[in-house]
Amino acid sequence: MGAVTDFPPYLSGLRLAGRRVVVVGAGQVAQRRVPQLIAVGADVHVVAPEATPAIEGLVGSGEVTWHQRPFADDDLDGAWYALALTADGAVNARVIALAEERRIFCVRSDDATRGTAWTPATGRYDDLTVAILGNRDPRRSAAVRDEVVDALREGRIEAPHGRGGAETRLGSVVLVGGGPGEPDLITVAGRKALMGADVVVADRLAPRELLGDLPADVELVDVAKLPRGRSAQQEEINRVIVERALAGKRVARFKGGDNFVFGRGYEEIIACREAGVPVTVIPGLTSPVSVPAIAGIPVTHRGVTHEFSVVSGHLPPGHPESLVDYAGLARMQGTVVLMMAVRNAPAIAAALVEGGRPADTPVAVVCDGTMPTERTVLATLGTLAERLHAESVKPPAIIVIGEVVRIAHPEAFGG
């Protein structure tokens, strides 16, 4: 019989929720491993005289217990799993030996061959967990894991659903915020949900390049082709996502920006709940913050503003259906960010000046934010109307009003 290290590992999924796991060491390696243990519900105990700020943060939030001292023999009492992650080989060897005596599987970071367990590279898709061990080659393991998970998302590897098959499984809806427009700015979770969907219901402002990456068998519903009229269209969207989910489909409702910032996302949540359809939300980078940031404009700045307001400008001041108190908004000193406001921006600027905002307040209009055609038009409240006309500004655009624009563009307004 060969040496122990001649044999491959036996892969097994550990159910560690509520069970004591001892992590000896609180440095960079522990900083990578501890969050994974927390994510599976383990009762994590860290033993180390010192810890990284990240580990201290987990202690402060009550997610782990820190024994701030050197390792002691009885630290493994009651443990189900252990990790020897210090930079001291003698301490790690001692942890391994004691774990062996107690029949506790133990990872050793400085010499994996002497541990009784190895940490695989793991990834998740839908309800699957993928684990890869590459003969103690972590980069290779991670690369293979990424390839497998990507293949699952893109449909290059089929992942049949559990008992009952696709015909009888319960469908679901996930609202995916696509971010401000640039495809790379969608969240990792958002892309996973999109690529794992059976049906994608997409908005006009959602990053459309991502739709080209969808598997060929995904049904794509273009919202722009649904019945006209804002209310009627929203009712039809609600009907489509509920109908497909009740048919057992995984539905991704794909929007630009964030679902809950003037995206009518909660109306879709209500429709799903009323129909008994499971629904979740994956927020996107919200455009009124991310677009100015990418254009180099902060919505807050120390010593300049302590608040910012995000306002829908799709209705002009004085409109009977408008819910915005422009007089109150004008009395505030912070940043105002206008969305869907290109057409009504001159009237809004006039209302803010009438309410007390100086006419020379700096304004930046970020057009096509994050896209190749992005540009920024500078103005003041007093000159905004003429600048919009002179520069032929068309939607989509984010309008930023306030002293933060001066901070970002001192050459135009004086710093």
Side-chain angles (χ1 to χ4, degrees), residues 289-309:
V289 175
S290 60
V291 167
I294 288 170
I297 303 170
V299 294
T300 65
H301 187 75
R302 183 162 57 94
V304 174
T305 178
H306 288 176
E307 86 276 351
F308 67 95
S309 303

Side-chain angles (χ1 to χ4, degrees), residues 346 363 365 367 375-394 412-413:
V363 179
V365 183
C367 310
R375 62 186 176 121
T376 299
V377 174
L378 299 177
T380 64
L381 284 177
T383 64
L384 181 57
E386 63 184 82
R387 291 291 291 149
L388 291 173
H389 177 73
E391 295 292 335
S392 301
V393 173
K394 299 289 190 297
F413 299 103

Side-chain angles (χ1 to χ4, degrees), residues 27-397:
Q28 296 294 323
V29 179
Q31 187 173 314
R32 295 196 300 271
R33 297 285 180 259
V34 168
Q36 297 173 318
L37 295 167
I38 293 171
V40 299
D43 177 19
V44 181
H45 290 254
V46 174
V47 182
E50 298 178 346
T52 66
I55 295 290
E56 288 185 357
L58 297 173
V59 173
S61 63
E63 295 175 276
V64 303
T65 300
W66 182 20
H67 305 274
Q68 192 174 359
R69 53 170 172 73
F71 174 74
D73 291 2
D74 60 359
D75 284 328
L76 295 182
D77 290 353
W80 290 71
Y81 189 56
L83 297 89
L85 308 181
T86 77
D88 187 327
V91 172
N92 289 345
R94 183 170 158 222
V95 175
I96 287 289
L98 290 168
E100 183 81 13
E101 291 177 6
R102 290 164 170 77
R103 297 186 178 183
I104 300 168
F105 282 102
C106 185
V107 170
R108 179 170 175 174
S109 62
D110 61 328
D111 187 351
T113 64
R114 296 182 180 276
T116 53
W118 295 345
T119 302
T122 59
R124 289 183 175 83
Y125 168 76
D126 200 9
D127 58 351
L128 301 176
T129 298
V130 175
I132 303 293
L133 284 173
N135 195 27
R136 304 183 304 280
D137 183 346
R139 289 184 182 275
R140 184 184 182 205
S141 298
V144 174
R145 173 210 53 204
D146 292 344
E147 178 61 29
V148 172
V149 173
D150 287 345
L152 285 166
R153 291 177 193 150
E154 296 164 12
R156 291 185 280 121
I157 297 177
E158 292 297 325
H161 289 270
R163 291 173 296 180
E167 293 75 20
T168 60
R169 77 174 189 267
L170 180 63
S172 61
V173 173
V174 56
L175 275 59
V176 179
E182 161 60 46
D184 287 346
L185 294 178
I186 190 173
T187 64
V188 173
R191 184 178 177 86
K192 285 181 181 178
L194 198 63
M195 297 307 158
D198 300 311
V199 180
V200 174
V201 181
D203 265 0
R204 176 178 61 87
L205 293 180
R208 303 190 72 81
E209 292 91 333
L210 291 171
L211 301 180
D213 296 336
L214 295 174
D217 61 344
V218 172
E219 179 188 2
L220 178 59
V221 179
D222 187 346
V223 166
K225 296 180 180 178
L226 295 177
R228 296 295 177 183
R230 187 162 175 80
S231 294
Q233 187 181 65
Q234 186 60 56
E235 291 175 3
E236 182 65 8
I237 292 170
N238 295 350
R239 186 193 68 78
V240 168
I241 62 177
V242 167
E243 178 186 78
R244 299 302 196 277
L246 290 176
K249 303 294 185 181
R250 292 171 298 178
V251 181
R253 173 70 175 101
F254 190 35
K255 296 172 174 283
D258 186 279
N259 313 81
F260 287 176
V261 181
F262 306 130
R264 305 190 74 166
Y266 210 76
E267 295 178 42
E268 295 162 4
I269 294 283
I270 293 171
C272 288
R273 289 178 175 171
E274 289 179 346
V277 170
V279 58
T280 56
V281 178
I282 299 175
L285 292 177
T286 186
S287 299
V289 175
S290 60
V291 167
I294 288 170
I297 303 170
V299 294
T300 65
H301 187 75
R302 183 162 57 94
V304 174
T305 178
H306 288 176
E307 86 276 351
F308 67 95
S309 303
V310 180
V311 178
S312 172
H314 72 288
L315 296 176
H319 191 284
E321 296 181 11
S322 175
L323 302 177
V324 181
D325 180 359
Y326 283 99
L329 193 64
R331 289 194 295 272
M332 299 176 70
Q333 298 182 21
T335 306
V336 176
V337 182
L338 302 177
M339 300 179 67
M340 302 178 288
V342 170
R343 181 173 62 180
N344 295 319
I348 292 172
L352 292 175
V353 171
E354 182 180 350
R357 281 275 179 137
D360 63 354
T361 300
V363 179
V365 183
V366 185
C367 310
D368 298 331
T370 79
M371 304 305 292
T373 53
E374 179 185 313
R375 62 186 176 121
T376 299
V377 174
L378 299 177
T380 64
L381 284 177
T383 64
L384 181 57
E386 63 184 82
R387 291 291 291 149
L388 291 173
H389 177 73
E391 295 292 335
S392 301
V393 173
K394 299 289 190 297

